Each structure stands twice: as C-alpha cells, then as structure tokens.
Amino acid sequence: MNNPRTSRYIFSLILTVLLGYAVFAALGTQGGTLRFGPHSPTSRVSGAMIEKNIEGARPNLTAKNHTGPSNVSFAPGSKGLENGAANIVSSIVADYRSFDTFGEVLILFAAVTGFMLLLPDKKGKNKGVTSEAPNFVLVKAAPIVFAFAMITGIYISFNGHLTPGGGFAGGAVIATGILILVLSGNEFNSQLLSLTETIAGMLFLAVGAAGLVLKGNFLQNVIPTGVLGYIFSSGIVLALNLIIGLKVGAELGSLILAGGKKEI
Amino acid sequence: MFTILYTLSLVLALIGIFGMISQKNLIKILISLNILETGVNLFLVTAGWSAEANVPIITGKLGLPSAVNFVDPLPQALVLTSIVIGLGVTTVALALILRYYRKTGNLTLEPSEFQSGGER
Amino acid sequence: MNTYLTLLIILPVFAAFLMYFFRKADNWINIAIMSFVTLFGTVSSLVMLFSQGSEVVALGGWKPPYGIVLVGDRLSLIFVALIYLITYLIAQFGGIERTKVNDHKSGALFMLLTAAAAGMILTGDLFNFFVFMELAAISSYVLIAKGGCRSSYTGALKYIFTGGLASMLMLLGIGILYNTTGTLNIAHLMLRIGLVGDSLRWLALGLVLCGILLKMEVFPFNLWVPESYKGAPAGMKIVLGSILSTVGGYTLIRLYPILIQNPGLIKMLLPLALLSLILAELAAYREKHINRLLGYSSAGQMALVMLAILFGGRMGIYAAIFIVIAHALAKAVLFFVGAHFKKSTDSSMWESYRGLSKTSPIGAVLFTVAALSLTGIPGMMGFWGKLSMIGAGLASAKYFSIGIILIITIVEGVYFLRISGTLYQSNESDVKAKASYLLIPAVILVLIIVLIGFWPGCISKIINGGVSAAERSSEYAKLVLDYLL
C-alpha cells in the first residue's frame, strides 16, 4: 500500500468509478433505459437537412417535435433542390455546417505548421523509416502503387457527395501513397506539398468569399445544384470536397515527409 | 441494443480517463487520450443510430425518403470533425513529447517540476 | 456590416495563409500583415459596437437553428474589440514574432489563434465553439512550446493533456445536449433546455462547462497554469492571460441564462470557484517567479469572475464583464512590463527587481498602476468591478463568499504591493533598461485603465447594453431566431 504507484492507481480508480457512477446515474433516470432521446431525426434539426427543406422548415421552439412539413418528396432525379448531394452526411459537412469544416481544415493546418515548427530541423536525405535499405520490389513498385493511390484518393474526393467518402477520406488515401513513397526511399518534393497546402487553403477561402460577394453570406452556395445523383450535382459540396482532398493530402503528406526526413 | 452501445462507449471513455489520471508515461497518457476520444466519438455516433433506419445516402431503392427512414446524419458529421481534431492534437502532442524527450531524456513529467521556484 | 462580422474571422485566416509567400522575406512584412489585420479588426469591431445594435450572420445562408450563425450583439462585440486591441498590441510591439527563427510559421499560428478567439466569441453554435476552442488550443500548445526551455515543454504538455481531457468531456456534454434537445444552436438551446430531465441536464451542462473552466483556469483544470505561464514566450503569456481567459469568461457570461435554470449546478460550482480563488491567490502569495505569480493571479481573477456570474442578477453580470475587461487590460500591462524587466535584468524573480524604478521609472509606475487596478484600489478600473460584485453578493445574500473575497483581496494587495515596494527600494546596481519599446503598449493600456477608473461612466452605457444582452435568454433568442418569435 505504501507503494506510490499502487496508491495512484487506487486513487484514479476511485475517481473514475465516481465519474462513471455520476454519468450512468444521470443517464439511467431517463425512463429506465439509456436510450434517452427520441432517436428519429424528425425531432432534431437534422430532420430538415435530410428533407433538404430548410427554407420551408419552421422549428418549434419548445416542444419535442419541431421540424416543419415533411411533405417534400425527392428521389434520385430531383432537380433544383437547395442542396443536391445524395450523401446527406457530405451535405452537412460541406454545406449546411461548412463553417465547422472550415475550422477543421484550419486545425489541421495549425497542427501541421506546429509539427514542422516543433520538430528539430535536420536537413538530410530521405532514408526511409527502417534502417535497412528498401528492397528492389518495394522501390520499383512504390511509384505504381502511388499512382493508384492518387487516383483512388481523387476518386473518393470527387464522389464524396454521392457515396461514402469525401475530402478527408480522399486526402488520407493520397497521403497513404506518399507514405509508400517515403517507405521505399523515393524522393518527393516537400516544397510542392506546402505550396499545394497554402493554395488549397486560399481556394477554400475563395469559394467562401464568392458566396460572400455574390450571395451575401460566407460559404453560401453559388453553383447550381443540378440533378440529384449526377456527378456535377451538388454545387459547393463537390468544390469543397476537392479542395479539402487536396489540402488534407498535402498536409498529411508533408507530415509524413517530415517524419521520414527529419531525424527522430 | 442501445443500452449496450451507450454503456460500451462510455466504459471506453472511462477507461481512457482512468489511463490519463493513473499513467505517468507521456506516450501512455496520449494513448489514453485517444481511447477517450474514440469512446466519445462512438457515443456521438450512437446518439444518431437507429436499428430500423437506413444509411443517410439517397438511393433509388427507397421510395419516398423522409427523415424517418434515415439514421441521424448530423452526429456523423460531428464525429468526422472530431476525428480530425483528435488527429491534430495527437500530431502536436507527439512532436512535443519528442522535443521534451530530447531536452530532458525522460518520458515522464517529474514531480519536481510541480514545485514552485525554478531554474530561471 | 454583415460582411465585417465575417471578416473578423476570415481575414486573420487569410493572413495566415498569405504569410507562407513571405517566408523568405524580412520579418517586418509579417509584422506589418499581422498589425494591419488586427488593427482592422479593432477598428471595425469598435465601429460596429458604437454605431449600431446587433447583427446576425447566417453562414452559408442557412437560417438558424439549422446552419451556423455568427452573433455580433452588444455583448460579444465588446469582447471582440477587446481581444483585437490586445492582439494588435502584441503583433505591433514585439512578443511572439520577434523572438525566434521560422517566423512566418509562428506568425501564421498567431493569426489562427486570433481568428479562433474571435470565432469563439462570435459563434452562436455550440459545436462550432468547440471547433474554434480546439483551434485556439492547438495554436497555443505550439506557441507555448516555442519558449524552448524545459518548462515550456512541460507546460505545453500539461496543457495538452488537461485540455484534451476537458475538451473531450465537453464534446460528450455537447453530444448529450444534442441528443436530448435536438439542436446545437445556443439560442435554440436556451429555449429548449427545459425539455431535458433534471439530472441529465445537470450532467450535460457540467460536462460542457469543463471546457470553459479550462480556459478560465479554474481549479481542477488549472494544473497547467504555472508552467505554461513560466515557459511561454512573452507574447504568448499575454495571449494566455488576457485573451484566452477573457474568452472563457465571455462564454460563461453568454451561457448565464442556461446556467441560471439549474440551481443545483450553481450550488456545486460556488464552492469550486471559492476553492479556486483561495488556492490560486495563496499560491501567488508564495510565488517568487514573476510569470508564475501572474499566472496564478489570472486564475484567481477568473475565479472571481465565475463567482460574480454565480451571484447572478444584473449586478453580477455587470461585475463579471467589468472584471474580465479590467483583468485583460491590467494583465496585458503587467506582462508587457514584466517582459521589459526580464530583458533589463535577465531574471524572472521579482526579488531581483530591487531598485528598478531608477533605471525604468515609467515601467515601475505602469506596473504599480496595473497591479493596483487588479487589486481593486478606489480610483482604478478594477475597483468598480469589485464594488458591483460585492453589491451582487449582498443582493443574493452570499455573505460567506463576500467575506472570503474581501480577505483574498487583501492577500492580493499584499503580494502586488510587495513587488512594487521592491521596485522602489534603493539599490546601487547599474542595470541598463533594455527593450523599452515594450512600454509603449503598456502606456496605452494604462491610459485606458486610468480613464475608465476615474470616469466609469464612459463605458458603463456599453457594458449595460452587454448586460441586457447577456442577462435574459429572451433577448438573445429574439435576436438570433427573430423570424420565429
């Protein structure tokens, strides 16, 4: 018991159990089960986002059920919706709550900038991550895999409004391609990456500013929404997904390059 | 099912909190933070989940989609944001731990650092 | 006007991206960009504050409560003007960007921090607040660590872990609130919070408050305070002391209409705030390192703000706003002058500042005035805040808390006067005053403090407008959701 390590563990355990008890007790009082909210989106703000009828919805301020008329019917092929993305999550991420995504992109930018700032800056050749030299197959195959990774990443970004995916997933796939290049000891231009990152950030701002200038609100949709289910259908969602894909790919890529190049 | 999902996600979060309080190794604290994050994200997704509802993507198979047919998409969007935030925090934390390790040669915040007074 | 409110957030971001193109240029270009952006922010927010009432911007054109809104009302504009004024002074007169290499990167982070602070104040959406909080946090972790010494890293690491824990708890709270009320908009939440059952509301609000209490440096979340204040570069100390804590105070004031509906939560927070006040000020009393002392003093002042909000009523809110502003101005002065002293004597222990009033008479005067204002001596700005705070305490019959506040004020006065006394002791050392340009912003801020101290009427109209905006949920909700009410 006199062991400080043991007493620390016991103290932490007591604290955690107390916190857990408080959480579970508060949750459990809602009708005996942990299912505390009505789960249907009709009682939440997201109901109007699914129905793509924010213009017509009138939220009820105090009652439980608060979406407006749900008489809007739409299916693939509908035209002229206020938001044309078939993937509703994408429509929220890149249109209804695009300002959150703006902040998110900035967070990634800040994190990568900070990572570069904090890592000791040792100039050196890219030696790969392992101490052994990468073998012949890896070296030769890496550029091919990289090309496929680029194509897949761009495809995922491009289709983010139709299928699961989007800018962040696509950017992560692009960065994976760069990771394979780093593992195989190939060179990659890090200046190009940081330039891409900055340009993509400025493009994001430009799309937002276009909304500000043309329609009066930052990040407002200025591109026609088209037909639901088609590739050029979602207005600002497609543009933002592409930009985010570029930016995230470049940021994560430069992170990986820095990790491979700078001595750790 | 909901009870199980909520309980498991919260237990995961609590494991993370326990790790953050009890551990001294910086890397272990960071891993605990990531476990906590995962738990909270799972909790958020569970908040929008429903067994009867569909994936929130409009396809031709559904007749006339309305809000009732779909899983709540908003928490999923929030979790997407929260995952990226977690990535950012982890990145900076790792870089910092690296710098700290190079400066001091150990991976714990020593108790002597908690006391007042100092070297400057 | 609509455009200006948005520009307050996106212009610093644009500047952050722009700096990449000047990475090989001279440092003064970065300083010029930052000064221009922050000066623009200061002027435009002041113009908005004085010219007209309130403005709501629906970002993306989606009306509230569905989309994200920026709310520039009489309360938030005060604070935006305040933080922009201080960031301008930091950017113009030294601090972060003059110390180390790699300048365009730390300049970009500083701009992102400014944007995040403005975003946290202006946003009307709870999750968006969380996003900007994390942006501010990540930028400040890096900028603290730029101090480069051991305590910078220790402080930044402690800040990361405490901040990560607190923000995840806050996210959990946001999740519970969304799950039960079905909304993330703060105004909508104020109206619908009554739908949540008592114990669940208690839990959710408690979790959300974790994130805010971290920024306010209140007790369980202030373990990072001393090391971070000690190790951070000079400019970052000012950001921590007078921008981030100010934002925390603002958010608590903004959430007041929600808090006041939960008497149980207030009963729990009151002892927490008192404990935090006592611990912080006693720690400051024992402290020999000037920056750690100022950090502890920040924590104490923010606990005072929290107490004022918990006292409640018009008077309490008035006191909270006044103390937050007074603290932000005075703390910025103290850190500017402290940095000047540090450069002159090459020491951070206040005991070695003996006789500095000879080498730097202006610095000594500025330090004393700011310290007196922070303590709440009559004729200074802090006095009016403490006065109305005691009024609020009497109105809500919290006599025990008032007693503790008065005792702690004496403690605070003693340790600040001790430092001032040290400055005015005679000593035959020949220290040269260095980096005297750091005194220019301090002079500006002290002039504001003294002006408001002798003539509080000049801003009481603005603050009263802010109090009206903050006090009742109906005001805020009417502003944001005006098409429904």
Side-chain angles (χ1 to χ4, degrees), chain A residues 188-239:
Chain A
F188 201 89
N189 192 346
S190 61
Q191 282 299 318
L192 179 73
L193 282 182
S194 42
L195 187 67
T196 315
E197 182 187 340
T198 311
I199 302 256
M202 291 216 162
L203 278 176
F204 198 120
L205 276 179
V207 171
L212 188 63
V213 173
L214 297 176
K215 294 278 179 76
N217 282 311
F218 187 65
L219 283 168
Q220 191 158 2
N221 193 359
V222 288
I223 310 167
T225 49
V227 182
L228 187 82
Y230 284 35
I231 187 84
F232 292 110
S233 69
S234 57
I236 200 175
V237 178
L238 178 61

Side-chain angles (χ1 to χ4, degrees), chain B residues 21-73:
Chain B
I21 308 172
S22 65
Q23 295 303 317
K24 287 214 138 185
N25 188 308
L26 291 172
I27 300 284
K28 283 183 184 168
I29 299 178
L30 187 61
I31 292 172
S32 306
L33 179 61
N34 282 334
I35 293 173
L36 169 60
E37 260 168 32
T38 314
V40 173
N41 288 343
L42 277 177
F43 181 85
L44 280 178
V45 173
T46 313
W49 186 75
S50 163
E52 302 87 34
N54 291 299
V55 178
I57 295 178
I58 300 165
T59 57
K61 285 172 194 160
L62 301 161
L64 293 177
S66 78
V68 189
N69 289 348
F70 290 116
V71 162
D72 190 351

Side-chain angles (χ1 to χ4, degrees), chain C residues 101-178:
Chain C
V101 288
N102 279 350
D103 284 297
H104 77 278
K105 282 179 183 159
S106 43
L109 284 173
F110 181 60
M111 283 288 99
L112 289 180
L113 189 53
T114 311
M120 279 159 86
I121 290 176
L122 288 176
T123 187
D125 187 283
L126 205 51
F127 189 76
N128 197 239
F129 173 83
F130 170 77
V131 170
F132 278 121
M133 191 181 94
E134 287 297 298
L135 178 59
I138 288 181
S139 320
S140 45
Y141 301 148
V142 179
L143 288 175
I144 290 172
K146 269 214 79 196
C149 64
R150 184 192 168 116
S151 56
S152 317
Y153 298 130
T154 320
L157 279 170
K158 278 184 193 168
Y159 194 10
I160 280 197
F161 294 133
T162 334
L165 182 62
S167 63
M168 278 305 127
L169 292 179
M170 185 181 183
L171 187 59
L172 194 61
I174 292 174
I176 295 175
L177 280 181
Y178 173 72

Side-chain angles (χ1 to χ4, degrees), chain C residues 201-456:
Chain C
R201 187 172 60 198
W202 197 86
L203 174 73
L205 287 179
L207 289 173
V208 168
L209 280 182
C210 287
I212 298 163
L213 297 191
L214 171 89
K215 285 275 174 290
M216 286 181 77
E217 304 158 4
V218 172
F219 165 58
F221 299 109
N222 63 2
L223 299 170
W224 54 275
V225 167
E227 292 303 318
S228 300
Y229 274 89
K230 182 183 165 194
M236 193 54 210
K237 287 178 180 120
I238 306 170
V239 170
L240 281 176
S242 28
I243 293 181
L244 292 181
S245 55
T246 302
V247 174
Y250 161 79
T251 319
L252 205 59
I253 296 170
R254 177 51 89 205
L255 293 182
Y256 170 75
I258 296 182
L259 281 182
I260 204 69
Q261 297 177 28
N262 298 277
L265 193 65
I266 288 184
K267 269 201 194 96
M268 198 190 76
L269 289 176
L270 202 64
L272 194 69
L274 279 177
L275 188 68
S276 174
L277 178 69
I278 296 169
L279 285 179
E281 297 291 7
L282 287 184
Y285 181 81
R286 292 182 55 218
E287 191 55 62
K288 298 271 185 273
H289 190 283
I290 182 99
N291 292 323
R292 290 168 61 120
L293 184 144
L294 292 178
Y296 281 128
S297 145
S298 273
Q301 290 279 325
M302 283 298 125
L304 214 55
V305 171
M306 194 171 153
L307 276 175
I309 296 167
L310 295 179
F311 286 167
R314 268 194 87 82
M315 198 79 136
I317 304 282
Y318 184 90
I321 298 176
F322 217 103
I323 296 176
V324 170
I325 297 175
H327 167 256
L329 295 174
K331 215 22 89 58
V333 172
L334 291 177
F335 277 123
F336 273 123
V337 178
H340 164 69
F341 286 167
K342 167 97 196 316
K343 284 245 167 82
S344 305
T345 60
D346 204 25
S347 161
S348 287
M349 301 293 153
W350 58 262
E351 279 170 345
S352 63
Y353 292 164
R354 190 174 298 248
L356 257 184
S357 62
K358 265 188 194 151
T359 24
S360 170
I362 304 173
V365 170
L366 294 176
F367 191 93
T368 313
V369 170
L372 289 181
S373 166
L374 215 51
T375 320
I377 299 294
M380 298 290 168
M381 194 178 169
F383 170 69
W384 304 105
K386 282 219 168 126
L387 193 66
S388 37
M389 171 153 190
I390 288 167
L394 289 177
S396 60
K398 304 244 169 33
Y399 302 111
F400 178 68
S401 310
I402 295 177
I404 290 193
I405 291 169
L406 288 176
I407 294 169
I408 289 297
T409 303
I410 295 170
V411 173
E412 207 178 3
V414 168
Y415 70 70
F416 272 129
L417 285 181
R418 232 171 27 185
I419 302 175
S420 290
T422 315
L423 291 176
Y424 283 100
Q425 273 171 7
S426 59
N427 187 15
E428 289 85 35
S429 72
D430 46 343
V431 210
K432 284 258 163 47
K434 284 178 204 147
S436 296
Y437 63 88
L438 286 170
L439 293 179
I440 305 169
V443 168
I444 297 171
L445 291 172
V446 159
L447 284 181
I448 298 174
I449 291 175
V450 172
L451 174 74
I452 295 173
F454 282 107
W455 184 37

Side-chain angles (χ1 to χ4, degrees), chain A residues 27 29 36 44-46 49 54-55 57 60-64 95 97 99-100 191 194-195 198 217-218, chain C residues 6 10 17 20 23 58-60 62-63 66 105 125 127-128 132 178-180 182 192 195 199-200 485:
Chain A
L27 290 181
T29 51
F36 47 83
R44 299 175 176 170
V45 287
S46 51
M49 295 176 185
I54 283 183
E55 289 306 315
N60 194 328
L61 292 176
T62 44
K64 274 269 183 203
D95 198 356
R97 295 184 67 86
F99 203 62
D100 272 352
Q191 282 299 318
S194 42
L195 187 67
T198 311
N217 282 311
F218 187 65
Chain C
T6 321
I10 62 174
F17 288 132
Y20 173 79
R23 62 192 183 284
L59 289 161
W62 306 113
K63 66 187 181 190
Y66 299 108
K105 282 179 183 159
D125 187 283
F127 189 76
N128 197 239
F132 278 121
Y178 173 72
N179 208 5
T180 44
R192 285 172 70 86
L195 291 180
S199 55
L200 197 57
L485 291 168

Side-chain angles (χ1 to χ4, degrees), chain A:
Chain A
M1 268 310 142
N2 292 328
N3 191 350
R5 191 184 159 102
T6 320
S7 51
R8 199 174 69 233
Y9 271 66
I10 289 171
F11 169 74
S12 317
L13 197 63
I14 291 171
L15 213 62
T16 316
V17 167
L18 278 180
L19 188 67
Y21 176 74
V23 171
F24 280 110
L27 290 181
T29 51
Q30 301 297 111
T33 76
L34 285 177
R35 181 177 175 166
F36 47 83
H39 271 71
S40 164
T42 44
S43 59
R44 299 175 176 170
V45 287
S46 51
M49 295 176 185
I50 293 175
E51 283 154 3
K52 300 193 186 300
N53 187 25
I54 283 183
E55 289 306 315
R58 287 187 67 79
N60 194 328
L61 292 176
T62 44
K64 274 269 183 203
N65 236 354
H66 76 100
T67 41
S70 59
N71 52 5
V72 196
S73 64
F74 57 92
S78 325
K79 285 180 196 169
L81 297 166
E82 59 179 15
N83 171 293
N87 182 347
I88 303 170
V89 178
S90 272
S91 78
I92 293 175
V93 165
D95 198 356
Y96 292 124
R97 295 184 67 86
S98 46
F99 203 62
D100 272 352
T101 310
F102 178 64
E104 190 182 346
V105 165
L106 294 183
I107 285 177
L108 209 51
F109 178 65
V112 172
T113 313
F115 187 80
M116 301 295 181
L117 205 55
L118 288 178
L119 268 195
D121 193 15
K122 287 213 169 166
K123 293 251 159 62
K125 206 171 167 296
N126 183 2
K127 285 194 199 122
V129 176
T130 54
S131 53
E132 283 178 36
N135 65 35
F136 176 76
V137 179
L138 186 57
V139 172
K140 289 297 164 197
I144 306 171
V145 178
F146 174 70
F148 277 108
M150 282 293 275
I151 292 169
T152 318
I154 292 170
Y155 171 79
I156 290 175
S157 310
F158 222 95
N159 265 295
H161 59 295
L162 299 176
T163 54
F168 287 99
V173 173
I174 293 176
T176 316
I178 298 175
L179 173 63
I180 290 170
L181 278 192
V182 171
L183 281 175
S184 66
N186 282 301
E187 283 296 327
F188 201 89
N189 192 346
S190 61
Q191 282 299 318
L192 179 73
L193 282 182
S194 42
L195 187 67
T196 315
E197 182 187 340
T198 311
I199 302 256
M202 291 216 162
L203 278 176
F204 198 120
L205 276 179
V207 171
L212 188 63
V213 173
L214 297 176
K215 294 278 179 76
N217 282 311
F218 187 65
L219 283 168
Q220 191 158 2
N221 193 359
V222 288
I223 310 167
T225 49
V227 182
L228 187 82
Y230 284 35
I231 187 84
F232 292 110
S233 69
S234 57
I236 200 175
V237 178
L238 178 61
L240 286 189
N241 266 337
L242 277 176
I243 293 169
I244 293 169
L246 261 183
K247 189 164 169 62
V248 172
E251 272 166 351
L252 295 183
S254 52
L255 213 62
I256 290 164
L257 273 187
K261 187 167 284 180
K262 293 177 177 175
E263 191 180 309
I264 292 182

